[in-house]
């Protein structure tokens, strides 16, 4: 298990957590003052009130919560969203409403999940031919 430093940007922020022992992702919650209404076909940038220090060699992927997708047609627009190891700003989630009814995001709603993943960087070698598929 890797240790991740987290900075709460407010005392009222919900700390992300794994909901079960077998969870791959930590649920992250909205940290907003006013409710956000996402109408059908529209998107919204939702703040979480947290920043994290990702160790070099890792990334965080922001992924949809399956319950929101299946029940409410709400998903993460740039799924998976990538947070690079050198980013220290607030984590924000782009949600999109693919349903036919408006969706209201309230403070502390679990809106996405974050998964910590190892990253391998590559160097590219330009060639004239590649092996056959």
């Amino acid at each position: 298990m890797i240790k991740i430093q987290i900075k709460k940007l407010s005392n009222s922020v919900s700390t992300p957590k794994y909901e079960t022992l077998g969870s791959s992702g930590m649920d992250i919650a909205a940290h907003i003052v006013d409710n956000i209404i996402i109408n059908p076909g529209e998107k919204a940038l939702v703040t979480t009130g947290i920043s994290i220090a990702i160790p070099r060699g890792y990334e965080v992927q922001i992924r949809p919560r399956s319950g929101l997708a299946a029940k409410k047609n709400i998903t993460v627009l740039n799924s998976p969203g990538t947070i690079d190891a050198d980013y220290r700003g607030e984590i924000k989630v782009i949600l999109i409403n693919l349903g036919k009814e408006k969706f209201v995001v309230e403070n502390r709603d679990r809106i996405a999940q974050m998964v910590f993943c190892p990253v391998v960087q590559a160097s590219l070698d330009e060639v004239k031919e590649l092996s056959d598929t």
Side-chain angles (χ1 to χ4, degrees):
M1 182 176 290
I2 61 171
K3 291 265 187 195
I4 303 294
Q5 294 176 337
I6 181 172
K7 178 181 177 183
K8 291 184 173 185
L9 304 178
S10 165
N11 289 333
S12 61
V13 170
S14 299
T15 302
K17 65 178 183 173
Y18 295 104
E19 290 298 318
T20 67
L21 290 176
S23 294
S24 297
M26 289 183 173
D27 284 348
I28 54 177
H31 182 70
I32 53 178
V33 175
D34 297 315
N35 291 351
I36 298 172
I37 296 172
I38 310 174
N39 289 310
E42 293 184 353
K43 64 184 185 303
L45 186 63
V46 183
T47 56
T48 65
I50 60 169
S51 297
I52 57 176
I54 304 166
R56 187 175 175 166
Y58 288 88
E59 69 164 333
V60 168
Q61 294 181 359
I62 302 297
R63 301 180 184 180
R65 292 189 63 241
S66 58
L68 277 181
K71 297 174 188 169
K72 302 290 184 176
N73 297 304
I74 302 298
T75 191
V76 175
L77 183 59
N78 61 327
S79 184
T82 296
I83 302 173
D84 296 311
D86 58 356
Y87 178 72
R88 294 295 183 270
E90 180 178 12
I91 294 175
K92 299 175 184 177
V93 179
I94 306 167
L95 294 180
I96 187 165
N97 183 347
L98 300 176
K100 295 181 177 161
E101 298 177 11
K102 74 176 182 179
F103 180 75
V104 179
V105 181
E106 297 180 357
N107 191 43
R108 294 186 170 255
D109 280 352
R110 293 180 297 153
I111 57 169
Q113 57 181 327
M114 62 180 179
V115 177
F116 296 88
C117 302
V119 171
V120 176
Q121 289 190 330
S123 63
L124 300 178
D125 185 19
E126 188 174 337
V127 298
K128 301 260 186 228
E129 300 286 330
L130 296 175
S131 61
D132 290 337
T133 299

